[in-house]
Amino acid sequence: MHIGPYQLKNNLIVAPMAGVTDRPFRQLCKRFGAGHAVSEMITADQSLRAHKKSINRANFAGELAPISAQIAGSDPAQLAEAARYQVANGAQIIDINMGCPVKKVCNKLAGSALLQDETLVGQILDAVVAAVAPDNIPVTLKTRLGFANGAENILRVAERAQAAGIAALAIHGRTREDMYNGNARYALIREVKRSLNIPVIANGDIDSPRKAAQVLHDTGADAIMIGRAAQGRPWIFREIAHFLATGEELPPPEVIEIRDVLLQHLDDLYAFYGEYSGCRIARKHIAWYTKGLAGSNEFRQAMYAEESTAGQAQMTRQFFDQLLAYGERLQYQPATPADSAAAALLSAADARHPQ
């Protein structure tokens, strides 16, 4: 698959997720076989550019090419300027966010709220594409089926995107009204693919190799985009790539590999964010990696209270060493309701606090 002049090594893409797809996570997923990754959304508001969170989100140092920066906002001129700024910052692809469903983004008429105003959608697409055209930078769009159920307008938005010069279109199979509830719907993605000449990327509920193959078949999409299923499971890209190539499923990773991957991920997070933020941001990742492992709920409750990166890493290593001592080998065991609730609460708490 190509995005503009860039040929991706495969058709597996890491979805942009606020508070998750930072540089350490993108690099990790690429090491496990993702062909491409899109940054967290970076606000187009110039007044917030110097904030630590914005600086971290726009840190692409040492990242494997092509580098894709997602920008978010509602003002065409501001988004155009933000696109030029990120290109100067090292971005090789600009992605426009018209898919985020969260309230604080939609209340600013950004993200998926833009789908309510197709005229504004067109103005934004035209402005951003024109802004980076002199540098031959491709622009992609991430969006949803529409804003409200019964008012899905993705076919019109997709045709307008292609007319504006968008290089690839990623579609989450829900409306903004759906948030992340219910099941993703793929029929409209199939219709969009049939109506466009540009690459179409299917997104939503792709959580296994077999589901990946099914979605590619059912939609005819050129690629798939994986988000929540990669949280604490970056090897899902390895698993999907193997299944698509061979029709065979890989066995789940053993505990010793999970331990090694997680500890390296923690080291990368600590180095990237520093002591205070690194410790706190790492908590949700640890929760995701350990979900379903024997004794993980008790471990997490103790881990959440640890305030230092050294202590957090030591506790994590000790937890896995205990599993190995008892002969625990595979990751997948039945997750308890407490496991899922704890991870959800932790992720929500992290979103309320600046990084």
Side-chain angles (χ1 to χ4, degrees), residues 133-341:
D135 295 311
N136 296 314
I137 301 295
V139 178
T140 59
L141 174 64
K142 175 72 161 59
T143 189
R144 287 187 166 228
L145 301 179
F147 186 79
N149 291 327
E152 291 85 350
N153 58 348
I154 185 58
L155 286 167
R156 293 193 301 272
V157 169
E159 290 172 359
R160 183 65 177 86
Q162 179 170 268
I166 290 297
L169 176 65
I171 308 170
H172 183 104
R174 290 181 173 88
T175 63
R176 192 272 171 173
E177 182 182 344
D178 289 329
M179 297 295 287
Y180 293 102
N181 300 316
N183 297 318
R185 295 174 278 146
Y186 305 113
L188 278 173
I189 299 178
R190 182 176 64 248
E191 289 188 44
V192 169
K193 173 57 189 171
R194 289 175 175 173
S195 69
L196 298 188
N197 296 317
I198 61 174
V200 172
I201 303 158
N203 174 229
D205 293 353
I206 301 170
D207 58 3
S208 71
R210 290 187 181 276
K211 185 64 175 287
Q214 176 192 333
V215 171
L216 283 169
H217 176 270
D218 291 350
T219 64
D222 301 274
I224 51 176
M225 180 173 275
I226 298 160
R228 289 173 292 166
Q231 293 172 352
R233 190 184 165 197
W235 45 83
I236 190 173
F237 297 99
R238 176 179 69 189
E239 295 172 341
I240 292 174
H242 182 82
F243 184 80
L244 294 178
T246 69
E248 299 175 353
E249 294 190 47
L250 289 173
E254 295 188 354
V255 165
I256 192 168
E257 182 183 12
I258 300 167
R259 180 199 65 184
D260 293 345
V261 172
L262 173 52
L263 290 175
Q264 181 60 60
H265 193 177
L266 293 182
D267 284 346
D268 293 342
L269 289 170
Y270 300 156
F272 187 73
Y273 288 108
E275 176 68 23
Y276 181 85
S277 294
C279 182
R280 283 148 184 82
I281 290 168
R283 289 171 179 164
K284 62 190 172 192
H285 290 281
I286 296 171
W288 289 325
Y289 277 99
T290 58
K291 181 180 178 181
L293 289 173
S296 60
N297 187 49
E298 294 80 3
F299 156 70
R300 284 196 296 271
Q301 296 308 314
M303 180 271 297
Y304 295 154
E306 177 55 52
E307 297 288 333
S308 73
T309 57
Q312 186 182 69
Q314 182 180 12
M315 289 181 66
T316 301
R317 181 180 291 276
Q318 289 173 344
F319 169 71
F320 278 94
D321 287 348
Q322 289 173 354
L323 291 178
L324 292 168
Y326 283 104
E328 192 77 18
R329 291 179 60 82
L330 301 181
Q331 179 191 18
Y332 300 107
Q333 295 200 13
T336 68
D339 287 336
S340 302

Side-chain angles (χ1 to χ4, degrees), residues 33-69:
H36 186 51
V38 183
S39 80
E40 303 174 82
M41 63 179 178
I42 306 167
T43 180
D45 188 341
Q46 297 180 43
S47 68
L48 300 177
R49 193 170 288 164
H51 285 203
K52 187 175 181 180
K53 182 181 287 188
S54 295
I55 292 171
N56 284 333
R57 289 181 172 180
N59 185 331
F60 310 119
E63 187 169 348
L64 291 173
I67 295 168
S68 179

